[in-house]
Amino acid sequence: MYNWDLAFKVFFYGFSGVFICLIILMFFVQISGMVFKNFRKKKS
Amino acid sequence: MDAFSIHTLLLKTGILHLTYGHVIMWAIGFLFVYLGIKKNFEPLLLVPIGFGIFIVNLPLAPLAGKGDLIWIFYHYGLEWEVIPPLIFMGVGALTDFGPLIANPKTLLLGSAAQFGVYVTFFGAIALGFTVKEAASIGIIGGADGPTCIYLTAKLAPRLLGANAIAAYSYMAMVPLIQPPIMRLMTTKKERQIVMKQLRPVSKLEKILFPMIATLVICLLVPESAPLMAMLMLGNLFRECGVVQRLSHAAQNELLNILTIFLGIAVGTTMRAETFLNPQPIFIFILGLFAFSFSTVGGLLMAKFMNLFLKDKINPLIGSAGVSAVPMAARVSQVEGQRENPRNFLLMHAMGPNVAGVIGTATAAGMFLALLK
């Protein structure tokens, strides 16, 4: 009756997918923040 | 039969077509209008939704049938997926991503707070909902009304009314639901943690953020693009500083007009013949579970992060990862000040709060990618 196999797949890929996306975004924001910080330091 | 006989005319009135179901739905409609007006309970939505429920349950009224006035709002607004992304544009124009840019680690809290979405997804399947319906119920835990409506309209349109009402109801009840969970999951010492002040964020960083976020999220989860792209476009209007008129229009006129159409369109999905069954009650219970587990997810992630961080974060900001901007962040602030009156968590909590919006839109995109 219940499609547990599909449900587990959706849980695993879905939840880990959200984490991976946001972690990648976090790195991008972190790196661009560091670039700006160094840029400001050099400028001053 | 004579077309002008009293009997024929009576048959053309709604009175002879009334059922108990219609009357019950009127009562529900009146209750929503009452809660909106008298209790100030999400009035911007509950008043049009309540009135929408009322009018869609008027027998024979040419409002919600194919080609009728409100059917057009529903069809072009929700089925064509126009309204939720445009509301996101308004939300983007209202949102300051500065606290998130200053402390990008809070994105982890926003993703952990999607825990309730996936736990409830299982719960809904166990209660007999289909996988697609379960996904649309689970997303209530993201506490993000437009995302919930967007996903439900795509995966389980027949649950639209119940899901939307549950999502907005729990968003309004954030100050009631979250504090007991926050106190249960954290120690007094943890609640007293004073966080380091956030660094200032330059204008250029704020302008680049919407572009970077759109690029990263939409490349990884293209299904979330309608929501993410509009959210970030609204934010770009706000931050670039040269299109104040557009930013103002997105924050005010556009958002207000869309709220009217959204409220009525959602209300009209609640017809007696489809709404009066046990499923909406299950959805309300599951919605509460979703919301509670999302709060727990955010709090646990904050505690986990503290195991590795030199500058500890106050776990109370983790609960703000459930979106519900800015109410969830305010709850973190209030709870923090209960333990330490000199602790100001509001700006720190705004980071996970806006991360939660991104996280929920990404979760919806993942569901669509896996199930559509």
Side-chain angles (χ1 to χ4, degrees):
Chain A
M1 183 184 167
Y2 305 119
N3 198 345
W4 289 116
D5 185 43
L6 177 63
F8 273 106
K9 278 181 187 158
V10 171
F11 177 84
F12 179 74
Y13 289 111
F15 199 27
S16 54
V18 172
F19 258 99
I20 291 166
C21 287
L22 269 66
I23 286 170
I24 293 172
L25 179 61
M26 182 183 86
F27 278 117
F28 269 94
V29 177
Q30 198 106 45
I31 289 163
S32 56
M34 272 156 37
V35 170
F36 278 109
K37 207 173 156 186
N38 287 341
F39 183 68
R40 249 181 267 132
K41 260 187 196 168
K42 273 185 189 170
K43 219 177 164 185
S44 60
Chain B
M1 195 187 288
D2 185 0
F4 293 97
S5 72
I6 295 206
H7 179 70
T8 316
L9 286 174
L10 267 177
L11 276 177
K12 288 188 178 179
T13 68
I15 300 162
L16 293 182
H17 299 270
L18 270 178
T19 62
Y20 287 116
H22 291 133
V23 179
I24 293 168
M25 292 310 292
W26 291 352
I28 294 173
F30 276 125
L31 176 70
F32 284 173
V33 173
Y34 169 80
L35 289 173
I37 296 171
K38 194 75 182 170
K39 303 286 178 190
N40 209 24
F41 193 82
E42 291 279 340
L44 293 176
L45 277 152
L46 284 199
V47 172
I49 288 176
F51 198 77
I53 297 170
F54 181 57
I55 57 177
V56 80
N57 288 290
L58 293 170
L60 300 189
L63 287 167
K66 196 172 179 184
D68 294 337
L69 178 71
I70 294 169
W71 179 87
I72 292 169
F73 297 163
Y74 174 76
H75 182 65
Y76 295 107
L78 297 184
E79 282 187 340
W80 279 33
E81 302 149 19
V82 174
I83 293 178
L86 287 182
I87 287 188
F88 251 48
M89 187 197 285
V91 172
L94 283 165
T95 304
D96 177 12
F97 283 104
L100 172 66
I101 301 168
N103 189 6
K105 288 187 285 290
T106 54
L107 276 161
L108 291 174
L109 300 174
S111 36
Q114 307 311 312
F115 180 56
V117 171
Y118 291 94
V119 170
T120 310
F121 168 72
F122 273 109
I125 291 173
L127 281 175
F129 288 94
T130 67
V131 174
K132 285 184 178 181
E133 288 172 348
S136 75
I137 295 167
I139 206 79
I140 295 171
D144 194 327
T147 306
C148 178
I149 290 167
Y150 179 78
L151 188 71
T152 309
K154 283 200 160 207
L155 293 183
R158 73 180 191 89
L159 301 182
L160 194 58
N163 279 8
I165 300 288
Y168 281 106
S169 303
Y170 291 128
M171 279 165 68
M173 286 194 275
V174 164
L176 296 175
I177 298 168
Q178 284 197 319
I181 302 170
M182 292 159 84
R183 280 171 229 152
L184 188 74
M185 299 293 300
T186 53
T187 62
K188 193 176 172 73
K189 200 179 160 195
E190 284 173 329
R191 293 196 292 272
Q192 286 176 332
I193 293 174
V194 177
M195 290 177 68
K196 208 174 126 187
Q197 207 183 350
L198 292 172
R199 71 170 176 88
V201 176
S202 70
K203 189 181 172 183
L204 187 58
E205 280 177 280
K206 286 188 175 181
I207 292 172
L208 284 176
F209 177 77
M211 301 200 196
I212 292 172
T214 308
L215 201 69
V216 173
I217 303 290
C218 297
L219 274 178
L220 293 170
V221 192
E223 288 288 351
S224 67
L227 292 172
M228 278 303 297
M230 289 299 109
L231 178 74
M232 294 304 163
L233 175 63
N235 190 251
L236 185 61
F237 285 162
R238 173 197 168 94
E239 301 298 351
C240 71
V242 291
V243 288
Q244 275 107 340
R245 278 168 53 194
L246 300 186
S247 174
H248 188 270
Q251 289 177 32
N252 298 285
E253 294 87 351
L254 183 66
L255 202 51
N256 291 340
I257 291 167
L258 291 168
T259 305
I260 296 171
F261 289 138
L262 179 76
I264 297 176
V266 167
T268 53
T269 61
M270 295 170 70
R271 287 162 167 265
E273 51 270 30
T274 53
F275 193 78
L276 290 177
N277 60 62
Q279 283 196 334
I281 298 165
F282 290 152
I283 291 172
F284 272 79
I285 296 168
L286 286 165
L288 183 61
F289 265 103
F291 207 78
S292 305
F293 276 106
S294 289
T295 305
V296 170
L299 291 166
L300 286 179
M301 176 52 93
K303 285 162 80 92
F304 179 70
M305 285 165 70
N306 273 347
L307 297 175
F308 308 97
L309 290 174
K310 200 174 79 183
D311 296 320
K312 303 287 180 208
I313 56 173
N314 190 316
L316 292 176
I317 69 165
S319 64
V322 299
S323 313
V325 183
M327 215 169 332
R330 281 198 205 125
V331 172
S332 301
Q333 159 79 3
V334 170
E335 287 302 306
Q337 286 209 322
R338 272 169 64 103
E339 298 296 341
N340 179 359
R342 282 177 296 170
N343 203 357
F344 294 94
L345 292 176
L346 186 65
M347 287 319 284
H348 297 287
M350 281 308 290
N353 212 187
V354 294
V357 178
I358 299 174
T360 309
T362 311
M366 288 302 299
F367 274 134
L368 287 171
L370 294 166
L371 297 174
K372 205 172 86 173

